[in-house]
Amino acid sequence: MKYCVCPSYIWTYPDIHDYPCSSQSAELLALRRGYATFQLHIYETIGESICVRTEGFESEIYKIIPIPVEGCPGITKQLPHFPERKAPFSVGDCLMPIIDCADCAEESTGLYFAILIPESSPECIRGSVVFSDGKDTLSVPVCIRVSSASVPPELLNIGMGCDFIHMAEYHHIDNREDFIKTQSQYMSLLRRQHQNMIYLHGPRAHFKDGKWEFEHTRFNSFAKKALDMGFEKLLIHGVGFRRAWDAPDIMWRDLNLLTLEGYKFLDAYLTSLRENLRRQGWLDKDIFYLGLCDEPNEENSLTYRALASVVRKIIPEIKLYDATSGAPIYGSLDIWIPRADEYEKHKDIFDYYNDRGDEVWHYVCLYPREDGYINRFLDIPLLATRYLFWGNYRYSLTGYIHWTVNCYQNNCDPFKESCTRHVNAGSVSILPPGDDKLIYPGTDGNGWISLRLENHRESAEEYAMLKIISQKNKALSDSICEEVFKSFSDVEFDAEKFAAVRERLIREYEKYEMAL
């Protein structure tokens, strides 16, 4: 039996046993109230299972489930790391919780350790991971240097869609009690990675006796639950949609929202929503944001601007947001969310919005896909996921959204397929591997986190450290960031260089945390 220890920000593969940044021990630096994390790659085993335990510390232990990457759709020219490997291959992304035993895989078995560091921890934690395949028993030395600083406060707005319908389907949930339990577990996984915003649908609408009626019970129940769990902002899905990318009209069901009947619906819907938010004490608290129509473009830009004016007239207290890029919808939004590559292409426009007091966030989806742009796909380096929130710091972008963490497509098994067919506004795409999931449907009604979700968590913490340092010494925080992140298409993929910069970041943050 053989093994190697790998950092949590690189991919490991079932068929590869040699990694440039691997070692025979775990040497870690961690923040108080944060996690110390690493991977253990085990190969050439004899038995049918591996028994594992920790000595000197307690740890969450996960078996790393390899996910197949059957292709690299969307990449038409190969660059270094894009893709990282030629498909097909499998990559270790899904983390299945275990207690003390994991079934041995044919080529190798991966384990992931997440050690929560208490506030009162000593400066150094020493221990070991002991594991056996029934014949051999090996011990991995673990040394955790504990920073004097604690995990920083949540300073970044993060919102990723969680599809509770797909959740229920894949967990075979058929009753309300189990639905609520599993929903809560998924939401807790999002809070684990510092997600502070969550999407919800607006009140249910019914047309009865010649007038619109709206039911707010489930809307209010979910909103209260989310706020109780620590979500600070709730993103109401768009009031309208487009039927096709080249369609100028914005619809709600079969209603064109700029017709008289469309206006009557909007007036009734938004007036009812406004009054409900007022009754709940939410209207003036900057909690709810309202989408208009996702990803406006040149074809529907005039309609979009007109719709924004109508909405502002009826419910002026609520901020408007949408994922948008270079479309000419000037003045329509309070929160502008360009795609990462589109932000860089139209930086002057979005910086103008920022300077005049609007917020600017960013997003990724199945694009950007080429020219070295980072994203959260399975066929590019895991560090590409880690750097997404470094981009927020680099460009003073105060939020990030993504369309989903679990929208498993077309009843495909997320453990067997990662490049699935996706339909949006009449456009059919084959998704890049992993775009539709950061949480996998596990057993017993529980979602299983991924390595990418864990790297989101640590990226959010690194963003916050950079922001806190910048309050006292912006030149210093800028220089730390630029060592590894220069733009969304120019980042450092050398894991050892990233480790050195991360250590520098934590050590500098220690000096500035005291000023909080």
Side-chain angles (χ1 to χ4, degrees), residues 491-509:
V491 300
E492 177 58 70
F493 286 129
D494 186 302
E496 293 181 344
K497 291 181 180 178
F498 173 76
V501 171
R502 178 180 178 274
E503 171 135 0
R504 181 188 173 203
L505 171 61
I506 292 175
R507 293 309 186 193
E508 294 294 345
Y509 170 63

Side-chain angles (χ1 to χ4, degrees), residues 455-487:
N455 275 269
H456 266 323
R457 175 180 55 75
E458 299 209 53
S459 185
E461 294 166 6
E462 289 152 2
Y463 166 87
M465 287 189 281
L466 287 165
K467 288 294 291 183
I468 289 168
I469 295 171
S470 73
Q471 294 171 6
K472 296 291 184 180
N473 191 339
K474 190 172 186 303
L476 173 61
S477 56
D478 285 352
S479 71
I480 294 172
C481 180
E482 289 172 9
E483 283 191 62
V484 291
F485 185 105
K486 293 181 173 59
S487 75

Side-chain angles (χ1 to χ4, degrees), residues 88 131 174 192 210 426 491 505:
F131 62 99
D174 58 5
R192 175 192 173 99
V491 300
L505 171 61

Side-chain angles (χ1 to χ4, degrees), residues 265-277:
F265 163 75
L266 278 175
D267 189 26
Y269 167 60
L270 296 175
T271 299
S272 176
L273 175 64
R274 183 173 184 264
E275 179 59 20
N276 177 65
L277 296 179

